[in-house]
Amino acid sequence: MIRTNDDASSAWSWHQDKLFERALVMFSNDESSDRWEKIAAQVPGKSAADVRRHYEDLEHDVLEIESGRVELPSYEGELESASWVNDSGRSQVWVGSKGKERERERESERRKGVPWTEEEH
């Protein structure tokens, strides 16, 4: 999301984005008319109009990504083959060719611990 105007309120810092995200969660079920004012009160330097516009821009970006109109970046070292698996067999944790190897390492690390004594148990 790139804005072409030079309005200072259009630039969002990392910190403001994090405060915005938290405020969205805090007021996620709020359907009152002053929802955007409440969110803006949590983000210093931003007005209700700024936070609403930022939200709408994010919604648009998500729609573009989900519709396939935006190609996702390919990162260096990305796993070649991948599937979504976790310990219970359910699809939640990213695992690929190297991921399975890492999963085995984590399991063996867990086993290296000192066993509990009967009293601790």
Side-chain angles (χ1 to χ4, degrees):
M1 170 182 48
I2 299 173
R3 293 213 181 264
T4 54
N5 65 10
D6 292 329
D7 186 63
S9 67
S10 67
W12 284 73
S13 69
W14 179 88
H15 182 68
Q16 287 173 320
D17 267 332
K18 292 300 163 192
L19 292 173
F20 172 73
E21 289 170 10
R22 287 183 187 165
L24 279 178
V25 172
M26 284 173 45
F27 300 105
S28 63
N29 295 324
D30 188 345
E31 295 184 22
S32 64
S33 61
D34 63 343
R35 176 182 186 216
W36 299 113
E37 286 82 6
K38 291 175 183 176
I39 293 172
Q42 303 295 314
V43 185
K46 299 297 178 184
S47 69
D50 292 332
V51 295
R52 184 172 187 150
R53 185 174 34 248
H54 195 57
Y55 180 81
E56 290 168 353
D57 288 344
L58 290 173
E59 272 189 323
H60 178 265
D61 291 348
V62 168
L63 179 67
E64 291 293 303
I65 291 167
E66 289 179 345
S67 69
R69 289 188 284 259
V70 175
E71 188 175 326
L72 296 177
S74 176
Y75 296 104
E76 186 178 321
E78 195 172 78
L79 300 175
E80 293 171 10
S81 66
S83 61
W84 291 89
V85 184
N86 70 6
D87 293 339
S88 67
R90 293 194 177 144
S91 301
Q92 293 179 1
V93 178
W94 177 264
V95 179
S97 58
K98 292 182 181 179
K100 291 178 184 176
E101 191 176 295
R102 288 185 191 131
E103 187 67 28
R104 280 189 223 108
E105 288 173 11
R106 279 195 294 262
E107 284 180 24
S108 71
E109 285 175 15
R110 284 185 234 151
R111 292 186 204 131
K112 291 178 185 175
V114 178
W116 290 7
T117 65
E118 189 64 29
E119 293 166 354
E120 291 173 324
H121 185 67

